[in-house]
Amino acid sequence: MSVEVVEQENGVASEEVVSPEMLIKHPLQNMWSLWFYKNDRTKSWEENLMEIVPFDTVEDFWALYNHLEVVSKIPLGCDYALFKHGIKPMWEDSRNKQGGRWLLNIQKAQRGTDLNNYWLEILLCMIGEAFDEYSDDVCGAVVQIRNKGDKLAVWTADIKHQDAIMKIGRTIKDRLNLHQRNVIGYEAHTDTQVKNTVKYYDKGTMTVYC
């Protein structure tokens, strides 16, 4: 047990016993880094991408999240990204090259109602390893604020890991409480780059369409 000195209103100091659990932070399984993409057309894409801070405990996550602007309030053209520390939120990163992303398109009308909750839930899924044995396949997530509608994506490491992809997709739909009619698509990064996407669809079943 630890003892903390507390000054009372009458100016008299007293000792208060503090539980060790209150002094010890709760470690996460992985270290994560938050990134911000600023839409500055005078700079290159990589110059606009900034790593804000890494964290590896529950308490540090909430300290960071509670001091950030909520995602629905960041300027148009900007992104937040949360990735495992050491992985950059770009296709070219060696740990992203063979992977793809589950993509959820969010209507502008949902920005003020659903977007913040969706983004927070995805963050909690990732840092809480909610994808069970397939959590290692998750690289990170990106939310993009755009004029025509926002995008929320969870990036995975390898498009060949179809069991992992489907588990991650079903978990996303479940945690976001999406209706089964809400189809989310999975696309390989290589296909996204050439605008010729090959997609796997999660319709609440194990069926995979190519």
Side-chain angles (χ1 to χ4, degrees), residues 165-181:
I165 289 169
M166 297 309 296
K167 167 65 176 179
I168 292 166
R170 289 196 305 272
T171 301
I172 292 169
K173 290 190 70 172
D174 181 60
R175 291 288 292 263
L176 299 187
N177 198 27
L178 300 178
H179 194 280
Q180 293 302 313
R181 288 196 297 267

Side-chain angles (χ1 to χ4, degrees), residues 129-147:
E129 311 294 329
F131 307 105
D132 299 329
E133 69 269 28
Y134 299 117
S135 292
D136 286 346
D137 268 75
V138 174
C139 296
V142 180
V143 60
Q144 300 175 305
I145 306 302
R146 299 295 184 266
N147 187 50

Side-chain angles (χ1 to χ4, degrees), residues 7-209:
E7 185 173 350
Q8 299 177 347
E9 291 183 0
N10 60 9
V12 178
S14 66
E15 293 183 348
E16 182 176 292
V17 177
V18 180
S19 170
E21 287 78 14
M22 299 296 291
L23 302 175
I24 301 173
K25 292 185 177 181
H26 297 80
L28 300 172
Q29 187 166 321
N30 287 286
M31 178 177 283
W32 299 84
S33 285
L34 183 72
W35 298 74
F36 179 69
Y37 176 82
K38 184 179 181 180
N39 185 26
D40 184 346
R41 296 186 178 182
T42 66
K43 298 180 180 179
S44 68
W45 187 89
E46 288 198 30
E47 288 175 327
N48 279 328
L49 185 64
M50 299 171 286
E51 184 175 10
I52 299 176
V53 65
F55 61 88
D56 61 1
T57 70
V58 174
E59 290 79 7
D60 288 341
F61 165 75
W62 284 114
L64 172 62
Y65 183 84
N66 289 330
H67 282 84
L68 286 174
E69 187 74 88
V70 293
V71 65
S72 63
K73 300 295 185 181
I74 66 175
L76 287 173
C78 296
D79 307 346
Y80 278 145
L82 185 75
F83 274 69
K84 287 175 179 171
H85 187 59
I87 305 177
K88 292 183 179 180
M90 57 180 63
W91 297 325
E92 296 83 359
D93 189 286
S94 60
R95 292 182 61 181
N96 293 326
K97 278 186 175 181
Q98 305 303 316
R101 62 178 182 170
W102 279 109
L103 180 62
L104 176 63
N105 291 300
I106 301 173
Q107 298 178 2
K108 289 176 65 176
Q110 294 177 277
R111 185 178 299 161
T113 57
D114 298 322
L115 182 61
N116 293 331
N117 291 334
Y118 285 173
W119 176 239
L120 176 57
E121 194 62 39
I122 290 296
L123 299 184
L124 295 177
C125 281
M126 292 196 304
I127 69 172
E129 311 294 329
F131 307 105
D132 299 329
E133 69 269 28
Y134 299 117
S135 292
D136 286 346
D137 268 75
V138 174
C139 296
V142 180
V143 60
Q144 300 175 305
I145 306 302
R146 299 295 184 266
N147 187 50
K148 294 183 178 180
D150 307 321
K151 296 182 178 182
L152 178 58
V154 176
W155 290 29
T156 73
D158 196 328
I159 61 172
K160 296 178 182 178
H161 296 172
Q162 293 188 11
D163 288 346
I165 289 169
M166 297 309 296
K167 167 65 176 179
I168 292 166
R170 289 196 305 272
T171 301
I172 292 169
K173 290 190 70 172
D174 181 60
R175 291 288 292 263
L176 299 187
N177 198 27
L178 300 178
H179 194 280
Q180 293 302 313
R181 288 196 297 267
N182 290 106
V183 178
I184 59 175
Y186 183 88
E187 53 192 27
H189 294 318
T190 52
D191 294 326
T192 306
Q193 292 178 68
V194 297
K195 307 298 182 182
N196 183 26
T197 60
V198 177
K199 297 182 179 179
Y200 304 98
Y201 288 104
D202 174 18
K203 295 185 177 180
T205 71
M206 287 296 293
T207 305
V208 176
Y209 298 89

